[in-house]
Amino acid sequence: MVILGALVNGIATVIGGVLGLVFKRRVSQKLGDFLMQGLGLCVMLVGVQGMVKGQSITITVLSIVVGGILGYWIDIDAAIHRFGDWIQRKLDAAFKGSTALGNFSDGFVAATLFICIGAMAILGSLQSGLQLDHSTLYAKALIDMVVVMVMATTLGVGVPFSGVCVFVYEAALSLAASALAPLLTDAVIAEMVCAGSLLLLAIGMNMLKITDIKVANFLPAAFLPIALCAIPSLM
């Protein structure tokens, strides 16, 4: 089953988010913020480890520039926030604007970006699609479950819903990998991991409140190496 890894990752994310909401009152805001800072450091570490896999700085720069332009033009960040805000309004209507739910949009966007961007999501999905090897996504599921559990204690009810996004995202990558197998050489995968890990580094810096980068608008950059690696002069 090609999408088994994605399914496990999605379920684990939902479970982690729900557990975070259940134990939310037992975790103080101060402790939650402190743990999020620690996770931010871990995210940056994973990003740095993935970035060194890149073999061409030219492809990375072009991916970020061209992908950033495309994402900015489409405004992916705003689209994600509009979707989150729409669900927020539905929840407000159903629960009469209870502040106990937290801000759905903030939690949904932060958790979705964290679990969908980076080396493990890309590599794990490709392994599932090309080799039916789900081990990377299983490991990622455990990490995501812990991360979203902490996120949910501070960012609220939007966090568990990110499990749906991670399933759709990774399942789509896994299915696409089968169709694109001839194009996904080791060099292409390495550059995709490098670009995705650079975005993961940005997420870590956002979590530490060092920056306020709209990382979602750079999402196309993680996939541009598929086309750019086909240009011999860039390698």
Side-chain angles (χ1 to χ4, degrees):
M1 184 177 176
V2 175
I3 63 172
L4 180 60
L7 180 61
V8 171
N9 199 170
I11 293 174
T13 300
V14 173
I15 292 174
V18 171
L19 288 175
L21 293 176
V22 170
F23 294 104
K24 182 175 182 178
R25 293 182 179 180
R26 298 186 181 182
V27 178
S28 67
Q29 182 71 35
K30 187 175 181 179
L31 175 59
D33 291 342
F34 178 72
L35 292 176
M36 285 297 291
Q37 290 175 340
L39 290 172
L41 292 174
C42 293
V43 171
M44 292 179 68
L45 173 62
V46 175
V48 171
Q49 289 177 331
M51 286 162 56
V52 300
K53 297 181 182 295
Q55 301 171 358
S56 172
I57 186 63
T58 304
I59 288 180
T60 301
V61 172
L62 286 175
S63 296
I64 294 297
V65 172
V66 178
I69 291 173
L70 288 173
Y72 181 85
W73 177 63
I74 300 172
D75 205 353
I76 300 173
D77 182 82
I80 294 176
H81 275 86
R82 281 197 299 270
F83 178 64
D85 289 340
W86 176 77
I87 298 179
Q88 177 76 59
R89 289 194 296 272
K90 295 295 183 180
L91 288 174
D92 285 344
F95 295 95
K96 299 180 180 179
S98 173
T99 56
L101 290 175
N103 186 290
F104 182 95
S105 181
D106 286 349
F108 174 76
V109 172
T112 297
L113 286 175
F114 175 81
I115 61 180
C116 287
I117 296 177
M120 294 188 75
I122 295 175
L123 275 178
S125 298
L126 294 179
Q127 288 174 343
S128 291
L130 298 174
Q131 305 168 345
L132 292 180
D133 178 3
H134 308 299
S135 58
T136 299
L137 289 185
Y138 290 161
K140 180 176 179 293
L142 292 175
I143 295 173
D144 289 347
M145 184 167 66
V146 175
V147 171
V148 298
M149 188 185 305
V150 176
M151 281 187 167
T153 63
T154 57
L155 298 178
V157 74
V159 174
F161 285 84
S162 62
V164 177
C165 289
V166 73
F167 167 68
V168 173
Y169 175 75
E170 291 177 349
L173 284 179
S174 298
L175 293 172
S178 299
L180 297 175
L183 299 176
L184 297 178
T185 63
D186 290 342
V188 172
I189 293 175
E191 299 305 331
M192 290 176 68
V193 169
C194 178
S197 296
L198 184 58
L199 301 186
L200 192 60
L201 179 67
I203 292 176
M205 291 192 296
N206 282 353
M207 291 174 68
L208 292 173
K209 301 187 185 302
I210 298 173
T211 58
D212 186 20
I213 301 171
K214 293 183 178 181
V215 181
N217 283 347
F218 285 101
L219 282 176
F223 302 96
L224 278 178
I226 296 176
L228 295 176
C229 285
I231 304 175
S233 61
L234 296 180
M235 293 300 293

